[in-house]
Amino acid sequence: MSATATELPLFPLNVVLFPGTVLPLHIFEPRYREMVVDCQQENKPFGVVLVKAGSKFMQEEPYEIGTLAEIHNLRPLEDGCYDLMAVGIQRFRILSQSREKSYLSGLVEIYEDDPEPEETLTPMIQQARGLFETYLSMLLDAPEENDLHANLPEVAEDLSHFIAYFLEIEDSKKQHYLELTSTHQRLAEEIAVLRREVPFMRQLLFKRPDDDLTMLN
């Protein structure tokens, strides 16, 4: 067991949070309202973890790797609920779990990417940024995405986490990206996804109105 392991409240969700990204949350269940109070009193973050498929309510089983989340912009509501922004700061691995409190907690240790030569990452950064900027610009042009704005990270690992969070892919795939310990591999797999998605999105967004009629004739 790691000498730096620490006890952390865990929040199982149907979402994968990454370091450097933000998740707005409405806290309404009593157990997680208690968690927020405990985090504020103890000045500690909580852990966002993806729920495994088939988990039962109140007995949620999380994946082993999650992300530490700091509480920002906490707003208590009149009904006792909370609105807050969960800001992802660092990944962790769950070493053990406890259900002694109303909410799940766990003993966790920090989980990081392995060091890799910068010269192998630089071309990946440029390629990933270019593809993702195109992908993001098409999302921004879609009516439901008008409020989405992004300032892409410069650091390879940060960029790989940012892309993973915003890609329109299954949560299981996002969890795979979260668990990888190679920035190079994460970027390479994301580039492969973007190479497929960008032409597909371009075709959908810029399809002429009469294309569907042509296909039906």
Side-chain angles (χ1 to χ4, degrees), residues 108-125:
V108 308
E109 64 179 1
I110 296 304
Y111 185 81
E112 298 177 317
D113 275 6
D114 298 325
E116 293 174 313
E118 187 174 339
E119 57 268 22
T120 67
L121 295 174
T122 300
M124 305 291 290
I125 295 173

Side-chain angles (χ1 to χ4, degrees), residues 49-64:
V49 282
L50 179 65
V51 177
K52 290 183 178 179
S55 291
K56 296 181 180 180
F57 180 65
M58 298 296 291
Q59 293 293 320
E60 293 88 353
E61 285 296 329
Y63 281 85
E64 187 179 65

Side-chain angles (χ1 to χ4, degrees), residues 91-174:
R91 290 176 297 165
F92 63 85
R93 181 202 303 273
I94 300 174
L95 301 176
S96 64
Q97 299 179 33
S98 171
R99 298 186 184 271
E100 291 182 2
K101 298 183 179 181
S102 63
Y103 55 84
L104 182 66
S105 62
L107 193 65
V108 308
E109 64 179 1
I110 296 304
Y111 185 81
E112 298 177 317
D113 275 6
D114 298 325
E116 293 174 313
E118 187 174 339
E119 57 268 22
T120 67
L121 295 174
T122 300
M124 305 291 290
I125 295 173
Q126 296 171 346
Q127 195 172 6
R129 282 181 66 91
L131 284 166
F132 189 63
E133 283 171 356
T134 302
Y135 177 85
L136 202 58
S137 69
M138 286 189 284
L139 285 179
L140 287 166
D141 286 339
E144 65 273 15
E145 299 292 347
N146 283 339
D147 294 331
L148 178 62
H149 300 284
N151 185 12
L152 298 187
E154 299 285 344
V155 178
E157 183 177 349
D158 296 345
L159 177 64
S160 72
H161 290 318
F162 191 85
I163 292 174
Y165 186 59
F166 283 101
L167 280 179
E168 294 288 334
I169 55 177
E170 301 86 355
D171 286 337
S172 59
K173 186 67 174 178
K174 293 193 177 193

Side-chain angles (χ1 to χ4, degrees), residues 2-217:
S2 171
T4 57
T6 184
E7 190 75 20
L8 188 73
L10 299 176
F11 196 174
L13 292 168
N14 290 310
V15 67
V16 181
L17 181 66
F18 287 82
T21 63
V22 179
L23 177 67
L25 291 173
H26 175 66
I27 309 298
F28 59 92
E29 286 188 53
R31 54 178 170 161
Y32 296 124
R33 285 152 57 174
E34 180 183 345
M35 181 193 76
V36 169
V37 171
D38 289 348
C39 287
Q40 291 296 101
Q41 289 179 345
E42 299 171 24
N43 193 28
K44 63 165 36 174
F46 60 89
V48 173
V49 282
L50 179 65
V51 177
K52 290 183 178 179
S55 291
K56 296 181 180 180
F57 180 65
M58 298 296 291
Q59 293 293 320
E60 293 88 353
E61 285 296 329
Y63 281 85
E64 187 179 65
I65 308 302
T67 299
L68 293 171
E70 289 183 341
I71 296 175
H72 287 237
N73 301 336
L74 179 66
R75 187 164 69 95
L77 304 176
E78 291 182 0
D79 59 2
C81 299
Y82 296 96
D83 285 339
L84 61 87
M85 303 298 286
V87 179
I89 52 175
Q90 199 167 22
R91 290 176 297 165
F92 63 85
R93 181 202 303 273
I94 300 174
L95 301 176
S96 64
Q97 299 179 33
S98 171
R99 298 186 184 271
E100 291 182 2
K101 298 183 179 181
S102 63
Y103 55 84
L104 182 66
S105 62
L107 193 65
V108 308
E109 64 179 1
I110 296 304
Y111 185 81
E112 298 177 317
D113 275 6
D114 298 325
E116 293 174 313
E118 187 174 339
E119 57 268 22
T120 67
L121 295 174
T122 300
M124 305 291 290
I125 295 173
Q126 296 171 346
Q127 195 172 6
R129 282 181 66 91
L131 284 166
F132 189 63
E133 283 171 356
T134 302
Y135 177 85
L136 202 58
S137 69
M138 286 189 284
L139 285 179
L140 287 166
D141 286 339
E144 65 273 15
E145 299 292 347
N146 283 339
D147 294 331
L148 178 62
H149 300 284
N151 185 12
L152 298 187
E154 299 285 344
V155 178
E157 183 177 349
D158 296 345
L159 177 64
S160 72
H161 290 318
F162 191 85
I163 292 174
Y165 186 59
F166 283 101
L167 280 179
E168 294 288 334
I169 55 177
E170 301 86 355
D171 286 337
S172 59
K173 186 67 174 178
K174 293 193 177 193
Q175 182 67 28
H176 163 71
Y177 289 151
L178 189 73
E179 294 180 3
L180 287 175
T181 55
S182 167
T183 304
H184 187 280
Q185 183 181 347
R186 191 180 300 110
L187 284 172
E189 293 188 19
E190 290 167 351
I191 287 169
V193 171
L194 289 167
R195 280 176 170 167
R196 294 194 304 268
E197 288 298 309
V198 167
F200 177 70
M201 290 176 63
R202 184 178 286 118
Q203 184 179 11
L204 287 178
L205 291 172
F206 300 104
K207 184 172 63 173
R208 293 174 302 180
D210 59 348
D211 284 351
D212 289 335
L213 294 176
T214 303
M215 293 175 64
L216 291 173
N217 291 333

